[in-house]
Amino acid sequence: MSAGALDLAPGAALVLDASEWLVERQEPHLGRVHLMNRAGVRQCVSFRFLLNHPQCRSSSLTSSSGANRGRQEMTLKDLKPEKVPLVQLRFEHLMEVFCGFRSGDPLHPRPGEPRPEYHPDRTTVSERRQAKVAELEAMDPAAAKLLALDRVGVRTLERWERKRRRFGVIGCADDRWLRESGRHPSISEEIREAILAVREETRLHRSRVDARTRETMIHRYVRETFPGQEIKVPSYDTLRRVWHEWFGPGRGRQRYERSASLPEKDGHVLVTRPGQVVALDTTILPVMVREGVFGDPVRVHLTLALDVYTHSICAFRLTLVSDTSVDVAMVLRDVMLPLPMRADWDGEMEWPYPGLPAAVVAEFVGHRVAALPFFAPETVTTDHGSVYRNHHLVEVQEVIGCRVLPARVLRPQDKQAVERVFGSIRSLLFEHLPGYTGIDTADRGAEPERDGTLTIDAMEHVIATWVVKVFTDRDLCCS
C-alpha cells in the first residue's frame, strides 16, 4: 500500500505496532484522529504521526480497506441483525432527500408526503439535503445517537448517495457494522510460523529478496522444521496476498528497517505546544563571506534552532569554524532570551504577539523586543554529532532544565522540519546574496568567492533582519 492510501475514514481499521485500532472519528481542523481498540482503550494521535509511523498500515478487516483487493461487494447479509433496521431508516431519510418520498416511489406516498421542504417540484436536491440536516440536528441527541443519525451533515448525505448508487441499501451502512473478513483458512499454525520466521530473517539479517524467493524459503522451512508431516503450503498468490496484508508492501530499504527496529527510549513525541520540541542542526552557509582580519573569502557554519510546533526560527548563530558545544549552548541561551531591537529596524519588527503587549515585555527585559518568540525549551532534537553529545552540553541541559533527544539513527525525517527550513532560507534569501555558491560543487561557478563582499557581522545582521521581518511575519500570516 502506498503512503497516500492510508484509510483514516471513520470505521476503518488500522494496524499500529502490531495492534489493531479502529478509527472512531477525525478532527481535520486540528490535524488529529481518535482511535479505539477492541478493549475500549482510546488514544488521540496526529495525522503526521500515523503517516510517518514505520509500523502503521491499513487493516484488511473492513470493506473500506479491502475493497480494492478483490473482496466481494457488501450485502445486507454482512450486517448484524440489529443493524438492519438502522440501515433501512437511513435509506428512508436518503430517499426523502432524493425524491421527496421515503419509500422512494412517488406512486406509493405515505401520509403527508411530500412535505413542503422536500417537495421535488419546488426544491432542489441541495435544499432538501440542508433541510434534512436541520431536521436531524433538531432531534433529541440521545435518540439521534441511538438511531445512528447523529453527526450527519451534507457531505455525509452525499457519501450515502454515492454508495447507494453503487451498492444499494447497504450503501447507507457504517463500515464498522460489517462482519470481519473470513481470513485465509489455508494458513495453518505451521504455515503461520514459517511466514513469521521468513519475515524475521529477510527483514533484518538478509538482503532484500522478492516474493518468489520468500515462497521458496517458506517451503524449505516447512520441510526442515516439520519432517514427515503432510503440510500443504498455499499457492504463491495466497502467500503474496497474506504477506501484503500482514506486513504491508515491504518497499522499505533494509538499513531503514534495521534502524526502525532499534529500541527507542521515549517512543514517539506528539508536539502540542510551543517550546515542547526545538530542533537544532548545523549546515555550511552556502554564501562566501569575508573574515575580519585579512578580508579573505571563507565558509562559515550556520546553526539553527527551530520550534517544531510553530515552525518559527527561535535563534541562529554563525561560526567561522565548525560549531562547538559552547556555540550550541549559546544558541540555547538565545532561544530563552528575547532578541533586542536594532537601530535600523522599524516599528513593524517589534514584538507583535497577542496576549502579551510589547510594553510589558520591554519593561521586563529593559529594552524593546523584536518579533521573535522566546521560551525555555523542554526537549531539544539533534543529530548524532559529537558536539551534541559531550559533557559540557549535558551540564547545559541540566542547568536550563531541558533534555537533548537525538534523532533515530538513519532517520533524518525525525528533524525534517529544520532541514526544510534550511532549504527555504537558501531559496528565499541566500540565492539573492553575492557570493552564493549553489547547492553542491556541480552548481558552483568558477569564482564564487569573487562576489563575496559581506563580512560575518554583516551577514549575521542580514539573516537576523530577514528572519524577523520576512520569515517570522510569513509564519504569522500562515497561522
Side-chain angles (χ1 to χ4, degrees), residues 114-125 127-128:
R115 291 187 288 176
E117 61 270 23
Y118 299 106
H119 200 290
D121 299 332
R122 302 174 185 173
T123 59
T124 63
V125 177
E127 293 175 347
R128 294 196 291 272

Side-chain angles (χ1 to χ4, degrees), residues 289-298 300 320 453-458:
V289 298
R290 297 192 180 275
E291 49 95 10
V293 179
F294 300 101
D296 296 331
V298 294
V300 297
L320 187 58
T453 58
L454 295 176
T455 63
I456 295 180
D457 294 336

Side-chain angles (χ1 to χ4, degrees), residues 200-255:
E200 184 66 23
E201 181 178 356
T202 56
R203 185 172 69 96
L204 298 177
H205 306 292
R206 292 189 49 162
S207 299
R208 188 175 178 180
V209 297
D210 58 10
R212 287 292 183 184
T213 304
R214 291 197 298 263
E215 180 195 16
T216 303
M217 296 175 65
I218 292 175
H219 279 272
R220 184 189 309 137
Y221 182 90
V222 171
R223 290 195 304 268
E224 295 176 355
T225 309
F226 309 101
Q229 301 185 25
E230 296 293 334
I231 298 177
K232 184 178 180 181
V233 180
S235 63
Y236 165 77
D237 293 331
T238 301
L239 293 176
R240 181 177 57 84
R241 191 182 307 115
V242 170
W243 192 282
H244 189 280
E245 292 177 6
W246 288 7
F247 312 117
R251 298 192 182 101
R253 309 192 71 171
Q254 294 297 85
R255 65 173 183 175

Side-chain angles (χ1 to χ4, degrees), residues 184-340:
H184 300 276
S186 58
I187 304 299
S188 60
E189 290 297 328
E190 294 80 5
I191 300 300
R192 176 184 176 86
E193 179 183 341
I195 293 176
L196 295 178
V198 172
R199 159 69 174 174
E200 184 66 23
E201 181 178 356
T202 56
R203 185 172 69 96
L204 298 177
H205 306 292
R206 292 189 49 162
S207 299
R208 188 175 178 180
V209 297
D210 58 10
R212 287 292 183 184
T213 304
R214 291 197 298 263
E215 180 195 16
T216 303
M217 296 175 65
I218 292 175
H219 279 272
R220 184 189 309 137
Y221 182 90
V222 171
R223 290 195 304 268
E224 295 176 355
T225 309
F226 309 101
Q229 301 185 25
E230 296 293 334
I231 298 177
K232 184 178 180 181
V233 180
S235 63
Y236 165 77
D237 293 331
T238 301
L239 293 176
R240 181 177 57 84
R241 191 182 307 115
V242 170
W243 192 282
H244 189 280
E245 292 177 6
W246 288 7
F247 312 117
R251 298 192 182 101
R253 309 192 71 171
Q254 294 297 85
R255 65 173 183 175
Y256 298 140
E257 293 284 349
R258 294 196 303 270
S259 62
S261 63
L262 294 176
E264 300 178 12
K265 181 178 179 181
D266 298 307
H268 296 274
V269 178
L270 183 62
V271 184
T272 58
R273 58 189 178 275
Q276 182 181 359
V277 177
V278 173
L280 279 181
D281 201 2
T282 302
T283 186
I284 299 177
L285 192 73
V287 179
M288 302 290 290
V289 298
R290 297 192 180 275
E291 49 95 10
V293 179
F294 300 101
D296 296 331
V298 294
R299 304 293 295 270
V300 297
H301 291 73
L302 172 63
T303 303
L304 202 66
L306 181 79
D307 179 45
V308 177
Y309 182 78
T310 60
H311 283 207
S312 59
I313 298 176
C314 307
F316 71 94
R317 190 173 184 86
L318 293 176
T319 54
L320 187 58
V321 293
S322 181
D323 57 341
T324 62
S325 61
V326 177
D327 298 318
V328 176
M330 294 303 294
V331 171
L332 295 178
R333 170 186 172 273
D334 294 340
V335 171
M336 298 186 294
L337 295 179
L339 180 67

Side-chain angles (χ1 to χ4, degrees), residues 399-416:
V399 171
I400 66 178
C402 74
R403 58 175 180 172
V404 177
L405 183 65
R408 290 175 294 173
V409 180
L410 301 176
R411 290 291 175 174
Q413 59 266 32
D414 285 355
K415 54 183 184 67
Q416 60 179 346

